[in-house]
Amino acid sequence: MPIIGNITYDELEIGDSASYSRTLTEEEILLFASISGDVNPVHLDPEFAGKSVFKERVAHPMWSGALISTAVANIMPGPGTIYREQFLKFLRPIKIGDILTVTIKVTEKLPRDRVLLDCSVINQNNEHVVEGTAKVIAPTEEIRIEQPALPNVKLESNGNGK
Amino acid sequence: MPIIGNITYDELEIGDSASYSRTLTEEEILLFASISGDVNPVHLDPEFAGKSVFKERVAHPMWSGALISTAVANIMPGPGTIYREQFLKFLRPIKIGDILTVTIKVTEKLPRDRVLLDCSVINQNNEHVVEGTAKVIAPTEEIRIEQPALPNVKLESNGNGK
């Protein structure tokens, strides 16, 4: 298994940045609905979504927040980080097949191991999808650990998709 | 199937509130890891989490953001809402079995159908888990539609849980 590690408060420097990319699939929309209970038809009902301002099904906007939190928790600062605050400004819808790239950047180091991060998410057309800021407590001790495996997930039909 | 409906901008009044409750299960932690790619061991590795400041596995903090977005998208204002901004302040960890209650409240009606919502999440011990604010574009037309069904999700073992 690969190793997951962190960057401590002392190691972080203003201007340091990290990126994380992921493609939106229909499965991810369905799973996000499952774990949140958000069954808004603009995400789940192709017919309703087709008549909406978006013209097709779109991701739950908070999925982009989940991707930002992944960049923070897995890459920079990584394991041992404590998440304190997140501001998100949703600028564009996310459609199936969109490739999102999250970039986070250290903008300020505060006392008591606090760090401010600028967060931006763009799609494959370089359009800004989300902008935001995060405040975290960075780890003070180095962590290197075997990366936990993800579960295998299977979805079964539910009668939507008319 | 039950019907999902909305509350239009004109119908919303300052002080209106809505709530949504959900219990954190281990399955939800695993699925959140799956859709975000966030494999931070504090969520997935019982041994690592046991030695952390949290003493046991905890939810991805952004899961609480997902619950807030569900209250906004499904209940108030509901379908037809366009999510613009979300601020989240994470105050406490969320543990398996915790019952979270999201409450959102209209604090301001702005021009062009914009609405500000106060957002709070408490656990079963009345402890504040998350506080925040949301800005949305409320729907202007009434929507009543059959609630889409959630998919059936199955998880398979992955070798964690040592």
Side-chain angles (χ1 to χ4, degrees):
Chain A
M1 288 299 279
I3 299 297
I4 184 170
N6 66 1
I7 306 170
T8 64
Y9 179 83
D10 287 343
E11 291 167 338
L12 286 169
E13 291 185 17
I14 291 170
D16 283 356
S17 68
S19 291
Y20 173 66
S21 285
R22 199 167 168 106
T23 302
L24 178 68
T25 63
E26 181 183 18
E27 178 169 308
E28 269 159 341
I29 294 181
L30 296 174
L31 290 176
F32 199 98
S34 174
I35 59 162
S36 64
D38 185 347
V39 292
N40 192 305
V42 80
H43 310 303
L44 298 181
D45 182 334
E47 191 180 317
F48 177 91
K51 292 180 192 153
S52 76
V53 65
F54 303 118
K55 309 291 184 209
E56 61 182 285
R57 278 179 296 169
V58 294
H60 301 77
M62 201 54 78
W63 183 66
S64 59
L67 300 191
I68 291 173
S69 74
T70 299
V72 169
N74 286 210
I75 307 175
M76 187 179 83
T81 301
I82 295 177
Y83 217 160
R84 297 299 294 165
E85 297 177 11
Q86 180 70 57
F87 174 68
L88 298 164
K89 192 165 182 172
F90 305 111
L91 303 172
R92 280 173 190 277
I94 308 163
K95 299 183 172 181
I96 292 171
D98 277 358
I99 305 163
L100 298 192
T101 301
V102 174
T103 301
I104 56 175
K105 185 153 77 170
V106 177
T107 56
E108 214 171 328
K109 289 180 75 175
L110 302 170
R112 295 165 54 231
D113 308 323
R114 268 65 175 172
V115 173
L116 298 186
L117 300 163
D118 181 71
C119 312
S120 79
V121 183
I122 58 168
N123 64 19
Q124 68 280 7
N125 304 316
N126 273 317
E127 295 167 325
H128 283 262
V129 173
V130 179
E131 287 174 358
T133 50
K135 184 180 185 178
V136 303
I137 307 177
T140 53
E141 290 177 21
E142 185 181 282
I143 293 171
R144 294 281 178 279
I145 184 174
E146 204 176 83
Q147 185 174 297
L150 284 174
N152 293 319
V153 176
K154 282 190 178 167
L155 286 174
E156 288 174 3
S157 173
N158 56 10
N160 287 327
K162 34 186 171 176
Chain B
M1 289 299 279
I3 298 297
I4 184 170
N6 66 1
I7 306 169
T8 64
Y9 179 82
D10 286 343
E11 291 167 337
L12 286 169
E13 291 185 16
I14 290 168
D16 283 356
S17 67
S19 291
Y20 173 65
S21 285
R22 196 164 171 109
T23 302
L24 178 69
T25 64
E26 182 184 18
E27 178 169 307
E28 269 158 341
I29 294 182
L30 296 174
L31 290 176
F32 200 97
S34 174
I35 59 161
S36 65
D38 185 346
V39 292
N40 191 307
V42 80
H43 310 304
L44 298 181
D45 182 334
E47 193 180 315
F48 177 90
K51 293 178 193 155
S52 75
V53 64
F54 302 120
K55 309 291 184 210
E56 61 181 285
R57 278 178 297 170
V58 293
H60 300 77
M62 201 55 79
W63 183 64
S64 59
L67 300 191
I68 290 173
S69 75
T70 299
V72 169
N74 286 210
I75 306 174
M76 185 178 83
T81 300
I82 296 177
Y83 216 159
R84 298 297 295 164
E85 297 176 11
Q86 180 70 57
F87 175 68
L88 298 164
K89 192 165 183 172
F90 305 111
L91 303 172
R92 281 174 189 277
I94 308 162
K95 299 183 173 183
I96 294 170
D98 277 358
I99 305 164
L100 299 192
T101 301
V102 173
T103 301
I104 56 175
K105 185 154 78 169
V106 176
T107 56
E108 213 172 329
K109 290 180 75 175
L110 301 171
R112 296 167 51 231
D113 308 321
R114 268 67 175 170
V115 174
L116 298 186
L117 301 162
D118 181 70
C119 312
S120 79
V121 183
I122 58 168
N123 64 19
Q124 68 280 7
N125 303 316
N126 273 317
E127 295 166 325
H128 283 262
V129 174
V130 180
E131 287 173 359
T133 50
K135 184 178 184 179
V136 303
I137 307 177
T140 54
E141 290 177 21
E142 185 181 282
I143 294 171
R144 294 281 178 277
I145 183 174
E146 204 176 84
Q147 185 174 298
L150 283 175
N152 293 319
V153 177
K154 282 191 180 167
L155 284 175
E156 288 173 4
S157 173
N158 56 11
N160 288 326
K162 30 185 172 179

